[in-house]
Structures are given as C-alpha cells and as structure tokens.
C-alpha cells in the first residue's frame, strides 16, 4: 500500500544571501531545507550584490539532500522583479513569497514564472505573515498550481497585528488547518533567541503538537533540536510498525477494522502508520560524514 509522503521539512534555515560565510557553510548543514534570503535579511543598498552572490553560490555549490529555496522581495517592491529573475536563473527547488495575502499574489508570481519558461518542478512557498494572509489562508492553500508549502512569519504577523506572540495560537492553527486540508506542509515561524536552546526545544515541541511539519530557523545551532523534535519517536515507530504488520496478516486481509492489543484499529490508522514509517525511513536514510542526522 502506497502513501503520499510530503517532503521532509523538519528544519528550514534562513541564510542571508549577502553573507558570504553563511552561504559557504550552508552546503554542509544537516537541515532539510535552506531558504536563501533576499528580503528582510538584506539591506536595500545590498540587494544587488546579494543577488550576484547568490548566483555565484548556486553555480559553485554541490548537490545536497537539502531542498533549496530563495525568498524574494514582493513583486510590488522596487526589488521584486529583479529578485524573481535572479531566483529563476538559480534554479532552486522553490521560491518563497513573502506576505502572501491571498491566492492572487501566488497567481502573479506564477504568471511571471510562466513568462520565463520556468520548469514545472519549481515550487512557490507562500509566507503567511499578515492579518489578511491569515484570514485568506484557506483560499491560498486551495490555489494549487506551483504552491508547495505554507510558512508562518510570526515576526511580521505580530508586527502587522500588534498582538503578542503568546496570543496568536488560534491564528496559527487556522493556517495549519488550511495546509492540512490541501495536503501542504506547514512550517512554523522562527524562535528569535538562538542561544536559548531549551526555549527553542519547548517551542518545537509545541509546534509538533499543533500539527506543524517543521520549523523555520535563524541559526545552525537550531537544526539538530528541530530535526529531533519533528522526527517520530522510537515508540511511535514501533507502534506504527505493529499496526502495519497486523493488517498484513492473512486473517486481516480486506478488513476495515481490527483489534490490536485490545484497541480498535481502523484503516485510517494504517494510513497514518504507513506515513509515519515512510517518514522514519527517509530520516534514517539521511546520513552525513558525521553520521545520522
């Protein structure tokens, strides 16, 4: 039985495109994805140089397991069009669009990419970081097309609304629900103090129980804790394997419901178990020179 597995996006690191040291280091990091940032991390007078640095990096960096995305400035800014052209030329896995207020913003990007004959594999990741973006997240998630993920921008969201970050959980759940309804990975916002790893671990655990697929990061020190938090536990893997094995028994062939350890287990639990085992196998297959990640 096959499952549709979303891409592994436990740890997604922002890397400033104008930081030569960070660019060089990014190729060897064990994160699941890197978002090379041309937007907030780059000052206005440094954006042209950042585009050129990014082009050079993509030309010289080798292939890794990590997905590569580029966050551009909005198309309504003075830098957006040049950013989009530069990002298209780099051939990343995805272009991250900031401050997506609705599906119309995605369509504008897709229309622009169509004019450049961008490959169909090039995704657009929508950043939900405004009040309008939260309200329209369900419509955005239903867009289809190149849309490949939803990313929460908590810093901009609190700035836009004036709400404290401790009070926005209902909005985050609204975004998670929108993504899940349309089979999209949903990434939680950043944790701003990269030195507070205990606080970061608590934030990751909270993200997991809220249903997020991973977390966006601001520092390499956050990668390993995020990878651990968003990976299935050994107990969860063992339980999932037991469900898969039980349904594979000849006596259970074709059954919609079985009894396992005194509990009712349905086919929907089998689907969940298969997805979890597949995710665990993907994680287990990812090794580096330093060992398991």
């Amino acid at each position: 039985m096959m499952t549709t597995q979303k891409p592994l996006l436990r740890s997604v690191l922002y890397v400033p495109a104008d930081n030569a040291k960070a660019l060089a280091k990014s190729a060897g990091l064990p994160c699941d994805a890197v978002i090379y940032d041309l937007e907030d991390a780059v000052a206005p007078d440094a954006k042209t140089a950042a585009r050129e640095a990014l082009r050079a990096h993509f030309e010289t960096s080798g292939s890794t397991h990590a997905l590569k995305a580029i966050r551009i400035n909005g198309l309504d800014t003075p830098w957006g069009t040049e950013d989009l052209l530069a990002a298209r030329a780099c051939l990343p896995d995805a272009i991250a669009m900031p401050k997506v207020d609705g599906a119309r913003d995605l369509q504008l990007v897709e229309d622009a990419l169509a004019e450049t004959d961008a490959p169909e594999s090039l995704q657009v990741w929508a950043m939900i970081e405004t009040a309008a973006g939260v309200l329209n997240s369900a419509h955005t998630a239903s867009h289809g097309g190149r849309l490949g993920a939803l990313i929460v921008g908590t810093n901009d969201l609190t700035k836009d609304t004036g709400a404290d970050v401790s009070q926005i959980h209902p909005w985050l759940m609204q975004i998670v629900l929108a993504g899940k309804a349309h089979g999209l990975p949903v990434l939680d916002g950043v944790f701003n103090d990269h030195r507070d790893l205990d606080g970061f671990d608590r934030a990751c655990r909270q993200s997991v129980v809220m249903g997020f697929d991973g977390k966006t990061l601001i520092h390499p020190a956050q990668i390993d804790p995020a990878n651990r938090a968003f990976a299935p536990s050994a107990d969860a893997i063992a339980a999932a394997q037991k469900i898969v094995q039980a349904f594979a028994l000849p006596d259970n062939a074709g059954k919609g419901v079985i009894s396992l350890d005194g509990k009712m287990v349905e086919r929907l639990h089998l689907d969940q178990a298969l997805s979890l085992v597949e995710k665990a196998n993907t994680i287990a297959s990812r090794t580096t020179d330093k060992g398991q990640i």
Side-chain angles (χ1 to χ4, degrees):
M1 185 174 183
M2 299 297 292
T3 62
T4 301
Q5 184 69 34
K6 290 183 288 188
L8 198 61
L9 291 171
R10 300 165 297 170
S11 52
V12 180
L13 178 69
Y14 288 110
V15 172
D18 63 343
N19 186 323
K21 183 178 179 181
L23 287 176
K25 187 177 181 180
S26 66
L29 295 174
C31 49
D32 290 333
V34 176
I35 298 178
Y36 296 98
D37 193 9
L38 290 168
E39 197 214 12
D40 286 346
V42 179
D45 59 357
K47 292 191 184 293
T48 298
R51 290 188 208 106
E52 296 307 315
L54 200 54
R55 285 192 181 101
H57 174 72
F58 269 77
E59 288 174 359
T60 58
S61 63
S63 61
T64 68
H65 75 269
L67 294 176
K68 297 179 180 179
I70 298 174
R71 178 163 72 167
I72 68 174
N73 286 273
L75 296 183
D76 58 347
T77 70
W79 316 283
T81 299
E82 289 300 318
D83 283 356
L84 183 65
L85 293 174
R88 161 67 180 88
C90 289
L91 291 177
D93 296 292
I95 292 175
M97 281 302 303
K99 301 176 180 62
V100 172
D101 285 342
R104 179 178 178 277
D105 294 334
L106 296 179
Q107 191 60 56
L108 290 174
V109 177
E110 293 192 6
D111 290 345
L113 288 173
E115 293 178 2
T116 69
D117 294 322
E120 292 183 5
S121 60
L122 178 57
Q123 294 185 348
V124 176
W125 293 355
M127 297 201 63
I128 310 300
E129 47 190 344
T130 64
V134 173
L135 289 173
N136 296 325
S137 57
H139 187 227
T140 297
S142 71
H143 175 71
R146 294 179 181 271
L147 182 60
L150 302 180
I151 305 174
V152 175
T154 44
N155 286 337
D156 277 292
L157 184 55
T158 54
K159 176 184 175 182
D160 189 52
T161 62
D164 186 85
V165 70
S166 65
Q167 302 302 310
I168 66 173
H169 289 175
W171 304 344
L172 302 185
M173 291 302 300
Q174 188 171 334
I175 300 168
V176 170
L177 192 62
K180 300 296 181 178
H182 297 281
L184 295 170
V186 189
L187 306 179
D188 197 5
V190 299
F191 185 82
N192 292 315
D193 187 352
H194 66 82
R195 299 164 300 179
D196 182 6
L197 292 182
D198 288 338
F200 178 72
D201 185 67
R202 290 192 297 272
C204 284
R205 299 296 171 184
Q206 184 176 63
S207 298
V208 170
V209 298
M210 291 176 71
F212 283 102
D213 296 283
K215 196 160 180 66
T216 48
L217 317 175
I218 62 169
H219 193 276
Q222 297 174 327
I223 295 173
D224 287 340
N227 283 345
R228 289 193 298 270
F230 287 94
S233 68
D235 288 345
I237 295 170
Q241 290 172 333
K242 195 170 185 178
I243 291 173
V244 173
Q245 292 163 1
F247 271 100
L249 293 173
D251 288 348
N252 293 328
K255 289 185 178 180
V257 181
I258 64 173
S259 177
L260 182 62
D261 296 333
K263 297 179 180 179
M264 183 185 72
V265 181
E266 301 180 68
R267 286 264 163 192
L268 66 90
H269 298 116
L270 174 61
D271 292 341
Q272 293 171 331
L274 287 167
S275 180
L276 189 147
V277 170
E278 186 176 353
K279 181 177 182 178
N281 289 339
T282 300
I283 293 170
S285 70
R286 292 193 174 179
T287 57
T288 66
D289 292 338
K290 296 180 180 179
Q292 197 71 34
I293 60 173

